[in-house]
């Protein structure tokens, strides 16, 4: 699982057990408990990360801060995120 996705899941109430290493050397949590995860919060955090990427990414040509702001606004409106 992507480390950032795991961080956002934990912030939303998911619990990841102790990590273990598989045969190929990849590290995975021993178990994941999602009983207390707030899916709305999890989705909101992902949308906020996406809009942060849009608003902070520098574009080599035609770098237009207003356009990036509009794109970020459309993403938040599409998913109904208000913060």
């Amino acid at each position: 699982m992507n480390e950032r996705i795991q961080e956002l899941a934990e912030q939303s109430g998911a619990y990841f057990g102790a990590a273990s290493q598989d045969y190929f050397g990849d590290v995975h949590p021993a178990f994941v408990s999602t009983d207390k995860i707030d899916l709305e919060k999890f989705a909101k955090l992902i949308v906020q990360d996406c809009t942060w990427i849009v608003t902070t990414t520098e574009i080599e040509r035609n770098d237009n801060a207003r356009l990036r702001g509009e794109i970020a606004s459309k993403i938040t409106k599409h998913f109904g995120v208000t913060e």
Side-chain angles (χ1 to χ4, degrees):
M1 175 182 300
N2 176 292
E3 187 176 319
R4 183 63 182 147
I5 296 292
Q6 184 172 334
E7 289 172 8
L8 297 177
E10 288 173 340
Q11 290 177 31
S12 304
Y15 175 77
F16 293 82
S20 62
Q21 198 170 27
D22 66 16
Y23 177 79
F24 300 103
D26 296 325
V27 178
H28 303 281
F31 66 91
V32 179
S33 173
T34 57
D35 294 346
K36 296 182 181 182
I37 193 167
D38 181 341
L39 290 177
E40 186 173 340
K41 181 176 181 178
F42 183 51
K44 188 176 187 178
L45 290 171
I46 291 171
V47 170
Q48 288 173 342
D49 262 26
C50 291
T51 57
W52 177 83
I53 290 168
V54 169
T55 57
T56 60
T57 299
E58 291 186 25
I59 303 168
E60 290 182 24
R61 291 186 288 166
N62 300 324
D63 188 6
N64 187 327
R66 184 180 61 79
L67 178 60
R68 290 181 300 165
E70 287 178 20
I71 293 168
S73 178
K74 286 182 183 239
I75 291 170
T76 57
K77 285 180 185 174
H78 178 78
F79 289 103
V81 175
T82 57
E83 286 184 18

